[in-house]
Amino acid sequence: MSITCEDVKKTLDWISSFGANDTGGMTRLLYTEEWLDAQKALKEKFERLGMKAEFDEIGNLKGTLEGTDGTGETIGTGSHVDTVVNGGTLDGQLGIIGGYLAIADLLETYGKPKKNLAVFSIAEEEGSRFPAVFWGSKNLFHIQNEEEVISIESIDGIRFVDAMHQCGFDFQETKDSLMDGIKQFVELHIEQGNTLEMEGKSVGVISGIVGQKRYNIQLKGEANHAGTTLMKYRHDVIQVYAQIVTESIAKAKAAGDPLVLTFGKINVKPNTVNVVPGEALFTMDCRHTDKEFLQSFTKEIENDMKRIAEEHGVKIDIDCWMDEEPVPMAEEMIEIIKASCEEQKLNYRVLHSGAGHDSQIIAKYIPTGMIFVPSIKGISHNPAEATKLEDLQQGIEALKYTLYKLAY
């Protein structure tokens, strides 16, 4: 048997109905009615296939197809079920329905596996409703910090704890039983970039997930009259900001791939046409696959920013509020996925992930691999998010034969 494009479309359309909106996109936020309906529907779907389906305390869902060897060793796959606000129909849920379709086809074609096969519908990854990310995967390994979420609220004033309780879930008190016996994990996901599409590849085998450093940087100069303050007497935060961006971007381009550097947000005071700006708060995001390079490059940029600010008589405060190390995928998993692609003559290449995924949490504890499919024009977190059905089908085939090698 094989998984057809029609199978993929039908299953995607079904899961996308939970949270669909009239823009063609979807909104399915953690602990909302749409989120709960999707999880319950997936549980029923898993059970109809003959899986044992169960929730943990916080709302992660696992469906397990029991193997024949009786050891309890389990090969896991899956991704997150939540979305961003008005997002697309592939991010996250592709990994869930892809895992389901792969396991269903393996069962029909080869019968029961030797090892257990499990598909996870992870409760949350995006942080779109509440300011907390990886709540689902962190709970799988009991590394969540409950103090971080006890007092947080959504933008419309709903408390995290109240929303969780309303859906019938609560804080996890002990080690998560869903992870019992999980020996290896593989996640299928859209690329959310344009490398595979630009290079004409249908499948990406992921070598690792980049490290990320994110900053809030505050500049304090002196607001003054735009007409009467001569240029040589100004302490203009925008001039400082412009020089920082120009010099930093030039250094990033000189460093080359895979380094990326982004200045994504700026707030200026007093933000009016006839006043020299006296205060600014801006962000910086830097990513690389090599931990040492990421640290040395950002340290150099930090020193540059201090120098530039001092030259203009402007005070600077640099707050690095995120410092996530790069996470490599397991070599054994990379080689198994590559072998599956080669044996099935799938059109693939090896690349890294420039975005964060649940696999970066999981890979710290068990051998993990990732498979990408192309994103048309690199668009994601947007109703226009799309992938050709043929590429989706190839990605699920890569997942299927990887699971076959691991479990059969």
Side-chain angles (χ1 to χ4, degrees):
M1 301 294 293
S2 63
I3 300 159
T4 67
C5 290
E6 183 180 353
D7 295 331
V8 178
K9 184 178 186 307
K10 181 180 177 182
T11 312
L12 264 177
D13 288 347
W14 169 78
I15 190 63
S16 298
S17 67
F18 300 96
N21 57 42
D22 56 12
T23 68
M26 58 188 306
T27 300
R28 188 194 300 143
L29 306 182
L30 177 66
Y31 299 141
T32 59
E33 182 180 352
E34 297 84 4
W35 174 92
L36 185 59
D37 288 345
Q39 288 289 68
K40 287 180 176 179
L42 283 164
K43 183 175 185 291
E44 292 176 2
K45 198 171 190 67
F46 296 163
E47 289 171 340
R48 286 197 298 271
L49 188 63
M51 290 177 156
K52 175 187 176 184
E54 55 189 328
F55 286 106
D56 65 9
E57 288 91 336
I58 65 102
N60 289 314
L61 172 66
K62 180 179 77 168
T64 304
L65 181 66
E66 188 175 344
T68 59
D69 66 6
T71 63
E73 292 190 1
T74 305
I75 309 301
T77 187
S79 192
H80 61 96
V81 73
D82 69 314
T83 73
V84 298
V85 175
N86 199 30
T89 60
L90 295 170
D91 182 10
Q93 67 178 16
L94 171 64
I96 302 168
I97 69 99
Y100 167 81
L101 288 172
I103 292 172
D105 194 68
L106 287 170
L107 179 62
E108 184 173 354
T109 306
Y110 302 104
K112 283 195 171 186
K114 292 179 181 177
K115 297 180 181 179
N116 298 344
L117 279 170
V119 57
F120 285 79
S121 181
I122 298 173
E124 187 275 340
E125 185 248 31
E126 298 286 5
S128 294
R129 188 183 188 193
F130 302 101
V133 295
F134 298 118
W135 175 247
S137 51
K138 284 181 177 179
N139 270 274
L140 289 176
F141 297 95
H142 205 50
I143 59 171
Q144 73 286 357
N145 184 350
E146 294 172 6
E147 294 299 320
E148 292 180 355
V149 301
I150 284 176
S151 61
I152 63 175
E153 296 181 352
S154 64
I155 195 169
D156 55 354
I158 305 299
R159 295 176 66 239
F160 182 98
V161 175
D162 292 340
M164 178 172 62
H165 289 167
Q166 190 171 357
C167 286
F169 299 106
D170 206 340
F171 290 118
Q172 187 170 271
E173 295 184 359
T174 59
K175 179 179 176 291
D176 197 327
S177 62
L178 294 192
M179 297 308 295
D180 290 348
I182 302 292
K183 298 301 180 183
Q184 292 153 313
F185 190 90
V186 56
E187 180 178 7
L188 173 66
H189 207 280
I190 54 171
E191 181 186 359
Q192 300 177 287
N194 64 355
T195 300
L196 292 175
E197 182 185 44
M198 295 296 289
E199 298 189 7
K201 302 295 183 181
S202 294
V203 178
V205 180
I206 305 309
S207 57
I209 298 172
V210 294
Q212 301 184 43
K213 296 189 73 172
R214 294 183 185 179
Y215 293 81
N216 288 330
I217 302 156
Q218 187 172 35
L219 301 173
K220 287 188 176 181
E222 183 179 70
N224 218 327
H225 197 292
T228 62
T229 309
L230 298 180
M231 299 299 290
K232 60 184 176 182
Y233 297 133
R234 296 185 178 197
H235 303 289
D236 183 347
V237 294
I238 288 300
Q239 187 177 351
V240 172
Y241 171 75
Q243 189 173 339
I244 287 172
V245 171
T246 301
E247 288 192 16
S248 300
I249 294 295
K251 285 191 173 183
K253 288 183 176 180
D257 298 334
L259 178 74
V260 289
L261 181 69
T262 304
F263 294 88
K265 177 182 179 181
I266 181 168
N267 293 324
V268 183
K269 293 181 180 179
N271 198 27
T272 188
V273 65
N274 59 349
V275 179
V276 177
E279 291 186 33
L281 177 67
F282 65 95
T283 64
M284 184 176 78
D285 178 305
C286 190
R287 310 185 189 199
H288 198 280
T289 55
D290 183 84
K291 174 185 174 181
E292 285 72 25
F293 185 90
L294 179 62
Q295 297 298 336
S296 64
F297 180 84
T298 51
K299 185 63 178 178
E300 181 178 352
I301 296 299
E302 290 174 28
N303 290 334
D304 288 345
M305 290 192 287
K306 293 174 184 175
R307 168 183 54 80
I308 294 166
E310 184 178 0
E311 289 172 356
H312 293 273
V314 169
K315 294 180 180 179
I316 187 169
D317 179 66
I318 301 171
D319 175 24
C320 179
W321 59 270
M322 175 190 280
D323 189 356
E324 295 285 345
E325 295 184 2
V327 179
M329 297 295 101
E331 281 296 331
E332 65 190 82
M333 298 297 287
I334 295 171
E335 293 304 315
I336 289 170
I337 298 169
K338 284 170 59 179
S340 298
C341 291
E342 289 167 4
E343 290 171 13
Q344 300 305 314
K345 297 181 171 52
L346 302 178
N347 184 22
Y348 83 98
R349 65 152 286 178
V350 177
L351 72 162
H352 72 273
S353 172
H357 301 284
D358 287 305
S359 285
Q360 74 189 63
I361 304 295
I362 299 169
K364 296 175 182 178
Y365 299 92
I366 58 175
T368 300
M370 284 198 78
I371 298 168
F372 275 1
V373 292
S375 295
I376 295 174
K377 296 183 180 179
I379 295 173
S380 183
H381 286 186
N382 184 313
E385 175 182 280
T387 299
K388 294 177 182 177
L389 280 173
E390 294 80 5
D391 290 336
L392 293 174
Q393 188 267 345
Q394 281 212 23
I396 297 172
E397 286 290 312
L399 174 63
K400 182 180 78 173
Y401 284 103
T402 298
L403 295 177
Y404 176 80
K405 285 179 175 293
L406 293 169
Y408 283 81

